[in-house]
Amino acid sequence: DAGITQSPRHKVTETGTPVTLRCHQTENHRYMYWYRQDPGHGLRLIHYSYGVKDTDKGEVSDGYSVSRSKTEDFLLTLESATSSQTSVYFCAITRTGSINEQFFGPGTRLTVL
Amino acid sequence: GQSLEQPSEVTAVEGAIVQINCTYQTSGFYGLSWYQQHDGGAPTFLSYNALDGLEETGRFSSFLSRSDSYGYLLLQELQMKDSASYFCAVLRNFNKFYFGSGTKLNVKP
């Protein structure tokens, strides 16, 4: 357990509404990641962060933005949710000195109607 | 870009040995990882190979051949609790990870 929590754990929203998902870690690790998981696609990297205010895009970043104003929090925002963004979202961290191993949060199930 | 290929589904009998293969194409390759995910749960780390060869951790072993861009996960003495999805993932430069689409392992009694 790497002290990762995600909120909310479940959310149902309507197309066109903004949505923010939160990832919180208690161990002050530098690297944090957001993935989405859909059947048949495994985990796909959306955005990641390598420090406060330092973020970069992953392979499926369109329609998503992120912010990291504190080491412990990494926020994922869907500015205007679409049905194609219905998915399970996982946050992950890598521990300093063990960058080859990722620890995942419990996930957020998002449904966009 | 990058791609990872692994079988979508594998079935094996309790007590048997099963091998899950992963081939990859990517630039900036650092190493290959394996993760296990039970239905409804989060992925959990199993192993990591940065160099060619076999790494053993209990009933699980992982192999990497960098020249062939190929790796596999070997599960021995299969148990019912091993029924899960298994993902290979490459670690690339800038600490980015890219995952395969996963192999669903069904263990039958």
Side-chain angles (χ1 to χ4, degrees), chain A residues 13-109:
Chain A
T13 191
E14 305 236 330
T15 298
T17 60
V19 176
T20 295
L21 308 182
R22 178 181 183 240
C23 177
H24 178 79
Q25 57 145 330
T26 60
E27 298 182 354
N28 291 321
H29 296 295
R30 181 179 171 194
Y31 288 90
M32 299 184 75
Y33 305 77
W34 276 108
Y35 294 90
R36 61 177 288 174
Q37 185 172 36
D38 306 289
H41 287 280
L43 291 141
R44 292 183 289 177
L45 181 65
I46 305 172
H47 281 280
Y48 77 110
S49 171
Y50 46 97
V52 173
K53 300 191 189 303
D54 292 323
T55 65
D56 200 0
K57 295 179 179 180
E59 56 187 318
V60 290
S61 59
D62 287 348
Y64 301 95
S65 62
V66 290
S67 66
R68 192 164 178 203
S69 59
K70 299 185 291 185
T71 300
E72 59 266 35
D73 289 325
F74 191 30
L75 304 181
L76 177 71
T77 297
L78 292 66
E79 301 290 348
S80 178
T82 68
S83 58
S84 64
Q85 293 176 312
T86 292
S87 187
V88 179
Y89 291 86
F90 285 101
C91 173
I93 62 103
T94 56
R95 285 183 164 144
T96 304
S98 183
I99 62 169
N100 54 293
E101 181 176 354
Q102 288 204 298
F103 294 87
F104 287 83
T108 294
R109 184 172 295 276

Side-chain angles (χ1 to χ4, degrees), chain B:
Chain B
Q2 56 280 318
S3 69
L4 293 96
E5 298 288 334
Q6 54 180 126
S8 60
E9 192 164 354
V10 173
T11 299
V13 177
E14 196 173 13
I17 299 172
V18 71
Q19 178 174 312
I20 300 174
N21 298 321
C22 175
T23 57
Y24 60 88
Q25 288 187 328
T26 187
S27 57
F29 177 85
Y30 275 59
L32 186 71
S33 297
W34 289 91
Y35 288 79
Q36 179 190 61
Q37 185 180 30
H38 287 99
D39 285 347
T44 56
F45 174 82
L46 291 176
S47 67
Y48 174 75
N49 295 66
L51 303 175
D52 287 359
L54 192 68
E55 297 276 346
E56 298 181 61
T57 307
R59 295 187 297 113
F60 293 2
S61 303
S62 57
F63 172 83
L64 176 65
S65 169
R66 295 175 70 112
S67 60
D68 294 324
S69 298
Y70 164 75
Y72 65 73
L73 179 69
L74 190 73
L75 298 83
Q76 302 182 73
E77 301 172 18
L78 280 175
Q79 302 176 9
M80 297 300 292
K81 67 178 181 179
D82 297 329
S83 291
S85 292
Y86 293 84
F87 296 89
C88 59
V90 296
L91 171 59
R92 293 185 59 198
N93 47 3
F94 305 112
N95 280 17
K96 286 186 177 181
F97 295 81
Y98 290 90
F99 286 76
S101 54
T103 298
K104 185 173 177 62
L105 173 63
N106 301 303
V107 180
K108 296 189 178 301

